[in-house]
Amino acid sequence: MTRPIEVLRAHTSPYFSSNFNFLEKQELEGLGHVQYVNKFNTNSNKVLITDTHVDLNSFIDQDIDLIIHANSGYDNFTIEQIKALNIPIILGNEIRSEAVCDYIYNCLTRSISDLKFTTNWDHSRSWNRSLLSDLNITIIGYGQIGKILEKTLSPRVKNISFYDPYKNLNQIEFNEVVILACSLNEKNQEMINKSFLNQMPKNATLINSARGKLINWNDLVLHLKNNSNFKAYIDVFPNEPFPIEDFQNIKNLFMTSHIAGVFNSIGPKTIHFESKILKDFITLDRTEFTNKYSQIDLRQKIINDMII
C-alpha cells in the first residue's frame, strides 16, 4: 500500500490487562507502515478496531478501509451501518470460541454430577450422578462454536441434534440438554419462552453463553420456580450489567457475569488475531483479502435484509 496505515482502537474492555493497549500498539506497529493512533488523519488507510461497546455512527463518514471486530457478538451493528460503510468487517469469533466451549463443558458436567468433596470418609459412597453417555443434547446454532461442540461432545454423549434454519437444520428436538450457540437476530429473540420450556423435560438443563435476548427472562424464572429439577446456566442477559443479586434465591439458576469468552491469555490472543488480519490487509490486494476472509466478514451475514 502506498499510503500509511492508521489503526484506531475505539474501545478497550476492562478484562484486558492494564498494559494491553501498549502491547497492542507495539505488535501492530511492528508490522511496518502502521501507526497506532487516537484519532484518524485524512491521508491514510484507516483500520478501526471495535467491540460491542462501540457506536459506529461516529465513524460512518471517516472513510474507513477496514474494521476488525475483535468480538464474536455484533449486536451494536445495524444493516444500515454495514451498507453505509461497505468495507470488510472481520469478526473475531476464533478468539473466544474455545473458551466459550470450555465454559459450556463446565456447565454441562456440573449439571449432571456436581462433585461433592468431603473431609470424612463417606461409608455410603453414594453419588447422585448421571453420565455424559446417557445424554441427548440439542445445540441451537451450527456455527464455529456449534461445530467445536459437535467434534468434542459427539464421542462422549448419546446423541447430538442441531437446529439452525440458516444451515437447513430445521427440526428442534427438545432434549434433556439444550445449548444456545447462535447469534441474535430479529426472528430468534425470546425463542426460549414459555412454550419452548414447557416442551423440554422437567429435569432438563438449559445453557446460554450466546446472547441474553434469546431468552424470555420472565418465562425462564417462572419455569425454574415451578420445576425444581430444571436447571439453567446463564452467562448472558437481556440487559447488562444485570442485577444477578435479585435472583440469588432461585437455587436451580446458576449465573455468571458474561465471562464465558474471558480467559487468562485473551489479551495476547486478541492481539495475535488483529496482527494476522492486518498483515494480510497490508500484503494482499483487496480482492484476495476479501476472498480469504469472506467467511468471517459481517457483510456475509446479511440475509433477506436481516443480520443473522
Side-chain angles (χ1 to χ4, degrees):
M1 293 184 176
T2 56
R3 293 189 298 169
I5 297 172
E6 293 186 338
V7 177
L8 188 154
R9 170 171 276 279
H11 179 266
T12 303
S13 295
Y15 49 74
F16 288 124
S17 65
S18 58
N19 65 341
F20 172 81
N21 292 99
F22 171 79
L23 296 174
E24 185 179 54
K25 177 180 187 293
Q26 187 177 50
E27 177 154 344
L28 298 186
E29 289 190 340
L31 295 172
H33 309 293
V34 175
Q35 184 178 6
Y36 193 85
V37 299
N38 294 319
K39 181 181 178 181
F40 285 130
N41 297 309
T42 54
N43 187 28
S44 65
N45 288 286
K46 301 179 179 66
V47 177
L48 179 67
I49 300 177
T50 60
D51 63 14
T52 53
H53 297 281
V54 175
D55 181 2
L56 286 176
N57 289 328
S58 57
F59 296 98
I60 293 293
D61 298 323
Q62 295 199 33
D63 194 27
I64 295 169
D65 297 281
L66 170 69
I67 291 178
I68 302 175
H69 186 64
N71 281 71
S72 51
Y74 39 84
D75 301 355
N76 54 322
F77 287 81
T78 67
I79 290 178
E80 293 73 24
Q81 290 170 336
I82 296 169
K83 290 181 176 179
L85 288 162
N86 193 30
I87 57 171
I89 301 172
I90 308 303
L91 301 174
N93 300 63
E94 71 177 61
I95 299 171
R96 294 167 172 79
S97 57
E98 290 287 351
V100 172
C101 289
D102 284 354
Y103 175 92
I104 292 169
Y105 305 147
N106 191 286
C107 294
L108 185 59
T109 55
R110 284 175 177 266
S111 74
I112 62 173
S113 56
D114 194 13
L115 188 57
K116 304 295 184 183
F117 293 97
T118 180
T119 57
N120 297 291
W121 184 262
D122 179 8
H123 290 277
S124 71
R125 295 179 58 206
S126 62
W127 188 359
N128 182 19
R129 180 188 191 187
S130 301
L131 297 177
L132 283 172
S133 57
D134 293 332
L135 290 181
N136 296 291
I137 296 177
T138 294
I139 298 175
I140 298 177
Y142 194 53
Q144 186 168 11
I145 289 174
K147 289 173 182 175
I148 294 173
L149 293 174
E150 179 184 36
K151 181 179 180 180
T152 53
L153 290 177
S154 288
R156 300 293 314 279
V157 303
K158 188 174 182 180
N159 181 62
I160 296 180
S161 67
F162 287 89
Y163 172 73
D164 190 330
Y166 307 105
K167 304 288 177 63
N168 293 318
L169 300 167
N170 298 307
Q171 183 64 42
I172 293 182
E173 295 185 20
F174 297 93
N175 286 317
E176 56 262 34
V177 176
V178 171
I179 299 170
L180 301 182
C182 58
S183 57
L184 179 72
N185 61 61
E186 61 188 51
K187 288 190 175 181
N188 66 11
Q189 289 194 42
E190 298 191 353
M191 67 175 296
I192 309 301
N193 52 28
K194 179 179 179 181
S195 174
F196 188 106
L197 294 166
N198 285 340
Q199 294 179 77
M200 294 177 66
K202 298 299 182 183
N203 62 341
T205 295
L206 174 68
I207 301 173
N208 185 20
S209 56
R211 311 310 290 169
K213 292 181 180 179
L214 293 167
I215 297 177
N216 182 307
W217 183 255
N218 291 331
D219 287 358
L220 175 62
V221 168
L222 183 60
H223 190 79
L224 289 166
K225 289 180 177 179
N226 292 336
N227 298 275
S228 60
N229 291 323
F230 191 102
K231 296 178 182 178
Y233 293 81
I234 308 296
D235 183 53
V236 288
F237 300 88
N239 298 290
E240 298 179 2
F242 189 77
I244 287 177
E245 61 278 5
D246 293 348
F247 301 91
Q248 60 184 329
N249 63 323
I250 305 175
K251 302 305 180 183
N252 49 343
L253 173 60
F254 306 91
M255 297 174 286
T256 49
S257 305
H258 202 149
I259 60 168
V262 180
F263 51 99
N264 291 346
S265 59
I266 189 171
K269 193 167 184 178
T270 299
I271 295 170
H272 175 75
F273 174 80
E274 296 164 355
S275 178
K276 177 182 67 174
I277 303 300
L278 192 55
K279 182 178 180 180
D280 282 340
F281 184 67
I282 293 169
T283 58
L284 300 177
D285 66 38
R286 181 63 175 266
T287 300
E288 289 175 322
F289 181 86
T290 301
N291 290 339
K292 181 173 182 177
Y293 290 103
S294 62
Q295 295 301 309
I296 56 172
D297 188 336
L298 182 56
R299 294 177 299 174
Q300 302 304 315
K301 291 186 174 291
I302 298 178
I303 296 179
N304 297 327
D305 212 33
M306 179 178 69
I307 308 173
I308 64 167

